[in-house]
Amino acid sequence: CLFVLFFVVECAIIYLGLYRSGLDQLDQLRLERDRVQAAYEVKSQFVSVVSHELRTPLTSINGALGLLRTGAYANDPEKARSILEVAHKNSMRLSALINDLLDLQKLEAGHMSYAFEQVDLSSLVEDSIEGIAGFAQTYGVSLRFDAPEAVALVSADRARIQQVMDNLLSNAVKFSHRGGHVDVTVEVTDEGVRAHVRDHGTGIPEGAREKVFGKFTQVDSSDRRAHGGTGLGLAIAQEIMQAHGGGIDYESEVGRGTKFTITFPPS
Ligand code: ADP
């Protein structure tokens, strides 16, 4: 009789154990299903945004080329030229968008490779300023650079940091007022090396941080019309700075301008 009792209790324990582990497995399966579903939703939302972003400039290029093809402007070279200009601008936008998308995809998949070397941040910033000078001129904006006395050595992938600086400088120019200026400084401190890009333009309203660093997002919906851009530049810059063990941030006041800062850890 005692043996039967033991046997029943043993069976009950085994049954309860199996039941509990079955429940645990079910919970894990549910969690996994929710994770896959969420990833799928993010992906399909991304694909729909990307398709829209690609379609917009393409529609414009098709429209412009279609107009020229009719020959309606054969006797009006001035008008034909301005239509070609629209097609060209949009094809540049398309290729910038594709480059940004490829970069982002590589960064998010962890496939971006970095060639770290010792770089003098001041000379890199000078190169960026030189490269952007023509663009700044078209906006009537001047660029000023205040280099530190000390050498600002950082461990960095030169091309990638150049890409970050180009993005910060071109944004500062785009959002400056005509005739304005942008101040660039490099600072060497015990906590690391920093570069600041300060404009005196439109500024960014409070609470827009997610849009500033988000993908395909711009603070003002009219920004794209007025200044172009993909809304990917700062999302990419943030990933690049994180891979350097540093960061990117800004301070801003509407109507007074914005200061973006990138930080490198002490080398
Ligand atoms: P975009 O290619 O559109 O410039 P970014 O990711 O570089 O994309 O910037 C995202 C958005 O952040 C910009 O469209 C703009 O709304 C805002 N922004 C970035 N820099 C500045 C700035 N210096 N002044 C005002 N707004 C800015």
Side-chain angles (χ1 to χ4, degrees):
C1 180
L2 204 62
F3 177 74
V4 173
L5 190 67
F6 256 138
F7 181 71
V8 169
V9 170
E10 194 71 18
C11 283
I13 290 172
I14 292 173
Y15 176 75
L16 276 178
L18 284 175
Y19 182 68
R20 269 202 59 184
S21 88
L23 279 184
D24 284 352
Q25 276 185 359
L26 205 65
D27 276 351
Q28 271 201 333
L29 279 174
R30 281 203 189 108
L31 275 177
E32 187 62 16
R33 183 201 59 193
D34 291 350
R35 209 183 54 77
V36 170
Q37 210 161 19
Y40 179 77
E41 268 161 33
V42 168
K43 188 162 186 199
S44 69
Q45 198 187 0
F46 186 72
V47 168
S48 95
V49 174
V50 169
S51 327
H52 173 79
E53 294 297 319
L54 293 175
R55 200 178 301 130
T56 312
L58 254 185
T59 308
S60 205
I61 294 168
N62 285 342
L65 294 180
L67 265 178
L68 288 176
R69 217 171 130 224
T70 61
Y73 299 102
N75 298 322
D76 189 349
E78 204 50 42
K79 181 76 185 167
R81 198 187 149 78
S82 83
I83 294 172
L84 258 183
E85 220 30 79
V86 171
H88 184 241
K89 208 168 137 193
N90 278 284
S91 98
M92 299 287 280
R93 180 163 151 59
L94 205 55
S95 76
L97 182 63
I98 289 167
N99 284 339
D100 279 358
L101 276 173
L102 291 175
D103 275 356
L104 197 71
Q105 199 264 339
K106 265 199 245 168
L107 283 164
E108 288 188 336
H111 291 157
M112 179 72 88
S113 56
Y114 292 92
F116 288 102
E117 56 178 320
Q118 288 294 303
V119 172
D120 177 14
L121 190 61
S122 298
S123 82
L124 186 150
V125 166
E126 267 170 4
D127 288 349
S128 267
I129 291 179
E130 224 175 271
I132 216 101
F135 175 74
Q137 219 170 21
T138 62
Y139 273 79
V141 173
S142 55
L143 299 162
R144 303 172 180 168
F145 179 45
D146 191 7
E149 287 189 0
V151 183
L153 271 190
V154 292
S155 166
D157 180 317
R158 180 174 270 279
R160 291 293 160 202
I161 297 303
Q162 195 99 52
Q163 179 180 358
V164 172
M165 278 311 298
D166 289 352
N167 186 242
L168 294 186
L169 290 173
S170 66
N171 278 346
V173 167
K174 283 194 292 189
F175 294 99
S176 282
H177 305 298
R178 187 160 272 279
H181 63 272
V182 171
D183 293 305
V184 188
T185 43
V186 168
E187 204 189 357
V188 184
T189 71
D190 289 343
E191 290 100 56
V193 178
R194 297 194 194 105
H196 309 277
V197 177
R198 182 166 196 359
D199 67 61
H200 307 270
T202 56
I204 300 173
E206 263 181 55
R209 194 163 288 269
E210 270 191 34
K211 283 192 177 160
V212 169
F213 289 112
K215 293 167 205 154
F216 296 115
T217 46
Q218 298 182 314
V219 174
D220 187 330
S221 52
S222 64
D223 281 352
R224 185 151 306 166
R225 226 176 317 126
H227 307 291
T230 61
L232 287 174
L234 289 171
I236 293 172
Q238 197 172 39
E239 297 265 3
I240 293 176
M241 289 314 301
Q242 275 165 10
H244 281 73
I248 178 167
D249 208 352
Y250 71 87
E251 292 165 20
S252 188
E253 209 180 318
V254 172
R256 303 197 65 120
T258 306
K259 180 171 88 170
F260 270 89
T261 301
I262 56 172
T263 312
F264 293 85
S267 48

